[in-house]
Amino acid sequence: MFALIDCNNFYASCERMFRPELVGKPVVVLSNNDGCVIARSNEAKALGIPMGAPAFEYDKVFKTNQVHVFSANFALYGDMSQRVMDVLSDFSPDMEIYSIDEAFLKLQGFDNYNLQDYATKMRQKVMKWTGIPVCVGLAPTKALAKLANRIAKKYPDITQGVYVIDTDEKRIKALKWLKVEDIWGIGGQHAKKLNQHNIYTALDFVLADTQWVKTNLAIVGVRLQADLQGIQTLDLEEVQPKKSIATTRSFETNYTKLEDLQERITTFAVSCAEKLRKQHSCCQSLMVFVRTNRHLQQMPQYSRNIVLQLPFATNSSIELTKFALQALQMIFKNGYSYKKAGVIVQDFTPQNQAQMTIFENSNPRHIPLMQAMDKMNTLYGQQKVRLGIQDTKKVWKMKQEKLSPRYTTKLSDIITVNV
């Protein structure tokens, strides 16, 4: 059996965890630069606030309905996610962290367990130890566990947050209920194609001709169909190192000077280098792009990117910055107001397997230097140690006017209890 554990309205739940007076009240969380809604509590959903809603367009709705609005606090959410996953790991040695708020557990050898009671204990322990509410779906396959979780979430009063698909009768009933566009792994375009062939529910999809599914949805569709039939074809996946890493941002103002863009590109390159070192990889190429504000059509528009093949593989912040600034120099043009830029590193190789070249290689003295920088930044805070070209007064130039404290990751933000 597989269990899918999904945190309920995770970002909103993290904010409520430290502000219990917000339970039962509408809460939304905004994206970077407070741009649009990326998370909503059930109360906010009931007000008709859609996912992706531009914050400035819904400002009146927020005020009229006393919606509590927060800037995205990813340091807090990431730490709370790790706490939830640590609790779940006690319930099975086989675990796949699917996203920041979801995890699959493989319950192999649990034949003599009452899975309904076991899942209920999961919910209770996560809630008691972290304060985050979760729902649990259990079934013989991953796709059916995803469906079971959806039912647990949709009907909390009936299921008490836990639903087990352990009979063929329950499986068929669930498949009849689920619309084809809501099947895990079926995107919007595939759903339209399936609808055109009179496939409207998950049961219709399961009963469709397998060869037709293979022709139209490839082997991935065939595996998904078998999984929904109760035949296990999808197993837990190991976490794979990323194949590319991007750091991009929209600016709080339009930049016209090369020096301003150089500072931003440096910060982005340093961020990419730190992420490379975390997964013990080096990159062999990078891309830099710049873009003007496409919403200001009255102003001259310009967008350009360039890919540089590096002479050697590296994850040094100093070396990647040097190459990124070279790339920026090649594509920068005077006379434009730049609103967005970014650095993307790619073509990874394991850090301990980087190929040496005859004429030029990464400076070996950078290895202990980068280790020292990473350690100090971990101990004393983000980007406390930086390159000289970086802005010493700002970490990210992002608009975060409604940012909550980092209760669990910053000592000065820890909750004060008056007794």
Side-chain angles (χ1 to χ4, degrees):
M1 294 287 279
F2 288 88
L4 175 66
I5 302 89
D6 187 8
C7 301
N8 300 344
N9 307 316
F10 180 58
Y11 291 174
S13 294
C14 288
E15 299 292 353
R16 282 174 165 172
M17 167 61 197
F18 300 94
R19 296 274 306 277
E21 74 273 15
L22 299 182
V23 174
K25 296 178 181 178
V27 174
V28 299
V29 177
L30 305 180
S31 63
N32 289 335
N33 288 317
D34 294 346
C36 59
V37 174
I38 58 171
R40 307 159 294 162
S41 66
N42 288 335
E43 296 79 10
K45 294 175 185 176
L47 292 173
I49 300 170
M51 184 68 87
F56 73 94
E57 289 184 7
Y58 279 79
D59 188 56
K60 188 175 180 180
V61 175
F62 296 157
K63 291 176 180 176
T64 302
N65 295 280
Q66 296 183 318
V67 177
H68 296 267
V69 183
F70 292 91
S71 301
N73 190 340
F74 293 118
L76 173 65
Y77 308 152
D79 185 67
M80 292 303 297
S81 171
Q82 187 59 56
R83 291 167 187 248
V84 171
M85 301 308 167
D86 287 345
V87 174
L88 293 176
S89 65
D90 289 340
F91 288 89
S92 173
D94 300 316
M95 179 178 178
E96 174 193 338
I97 299 175
Y98 185 65
S99 67
I100 193 170
D101 62 346
E102 289 181 276
F104 284 101
L105 296 182
K106 190 173 184 179
L107 304 178
Q108 196 164 9
F110 285 70
D111 297 343
N112 296 324
Y113 280 66
N114 183 316
L115 293 180
Q116 181 79 29
D117 292 344
Y118 197 64
T120 299
K121 288 178 182 176
M122 280 187 213
R123 290 191 74 238
Q124 292 171 344
K125 189 171 181 178
V126 172
M127 186 66 185
K128 184 176 181 180
W129 286 28
T130 70
I132 302 297
V134 301
C135 286
V136 184
L138 298 103
T141 68
K142 287 177 74 174
L144 287 174
K146 190 83 173 174
L147 172 51
N149 184 280
R150 193 181 187 93
I151 294 171
K153 226 170 194 178
K154 182 75 173 177
Y155 304 105
D157 295 337
I158 299 172
T159 64
Q160 301 301 307
V162 174
Y163 191 72
V164 184
I165 296 178
D166 52 2
T167 66
D168 216 41
E169 182 183 357
K170 282 185 176 180
R171 180 182 69 86
I172 292 171
K173 185 178 179 180
L175 292 173
K176 285 181 180 178
W177 169 78
L178 187 68
K179 294 179 181 178
V180 71
E181 58 265 30
D182 293 330
I183 297 175
W184 178 46
I186 297 291
Q189 292 303 314
H190 282 146
K192 288 179 183 177
K193 182 184 289 187
L194 292 167
N195 288 167
Q196 290 170 359
H197 291 83
N198 298 317
I199 298 174
Y200 298 102
T201 68
L203 184 61
D204 294 336
F205 176 69
V206 164
L207 297 176
D209 179 69
T210 302
Q211 190 57 48
W212 183 90
V213 171
K214 185 176 182 179
T215 302
N216 289 274
L217 276 74
I219 192 65
V220 175
V222 174
R223 289 173 181 161
L224 181 58
Q225 185 187 43
D227 231 53
L228 290 170
Q229 290 169 346
I231 304 167
Q232 185 195 328
T233 58
L234 306 173
D235 208 340
L236 298 186
E237 296 180 4
E238 293 183 6
V239 177
Q240 298 294 327
K242 294 178 180 178
K243 295 182 180 179
S244 67
I245 292 172
T247 303
T248 70
R249 290 290 185 277
S250 294
F251 309 134
E252 81 286 2
T253 186
N254 294 323
Y255 288 154
T256 57
K257 297 179 180 177
L258 176 61
E259 304 85 71
D260 292 329
L261 280 176
Q262 285 177 327
E263 191 280 330
R264 291 289 81 199
I265 290 296
T266 296
T267 298
F268 300 159
V270 168
S271 175
C272 288
E274 289 172 350
K275 294 172 185 175
L276 278 171
R277 294 194 292 272
K278 276 186 179 178
Q279 70 170 44
H280 306 292
S281 297
C282 293
C283 73
Q284 300 177 97
S285 71
L286 64 77
M287 182 177 83
V288 172
F289 75 84
V290 292
R291 190 178 301 160
T292 54
N293 193 338
R294 58 187 174 84
H295 297 293
L296 299 178
Q297 291 298 323
Q298 71 274 19
M299 298 180 69
Q301 297 295 310
Y302 176 68
S303 178
R304 182 80 189 277
N305 68 68
I306 187 170
V307 177
L308 282 190
Q309 293 297 323
L310 307 186
F312 49 80
T314 181
N315 59 17
S316 162
S317 296
I318 298 171
E319 291 169 342
L320 282 177
T321 294
K322 182 183 79 170
F323 294 128
L325 292 179
Q326 287 176 7
L328 175 64
Q329 198 84 38
M330 295 177 190
I331 61 176
F332 176 82
K333 283 188 177 182
N334 282 310
Y336 292 97
S337 297
Y338 296 94
K339 185 63 177 176
K340 187 172 185 177
V343 175
I344 303 171
V345 293
Q346 49 206 8
D347 294 339
F348 294 171
T349 186
Q351 183 175 278
N352 59 359
Q353 296 176 24
Q355 183 69 46
M356 304 291 282
T357 66
I358 297 176
F359 300 107
E360 193 174 4
N361 289 293
S362 179
N363 191 330
R365 290 184 296 178
H366 288 183
I367 295 174
L369 178 60
M370 294 300 111
Q371 289 173 345
M373 281 183 62
D374 291 342
K375 188 171 183 178
M376 292 178 73
N377 285 331
T378 299
L379 287 173
Y380 300 113
Q382 186 185 29
Q383 294 185 32
K384 289 294 183 184
V385 181
R386 314 184 197 187
L387 301 188
I389 194 175
Q390 290 181 266
D391 189 330
T392 57
K393 297 179 181 178
K394 296 182 181 178
V395 177
W396 288 120
K397 297 185 177 180
M398 283 197 301
K399 180 183 177 185
Q400 290 184 307
E401 295 178 347
K402 304 176 188 297
L403 187 66
S404 57
R406 287 170 284 180
Y407 302 102
T408 63
T409 59
K410 190 176 181 183
L411 194 58
S412 61
D413 287 355
I414 196 167
I415 282 181
T416 301
V417 179
N418 298 313
V419 294

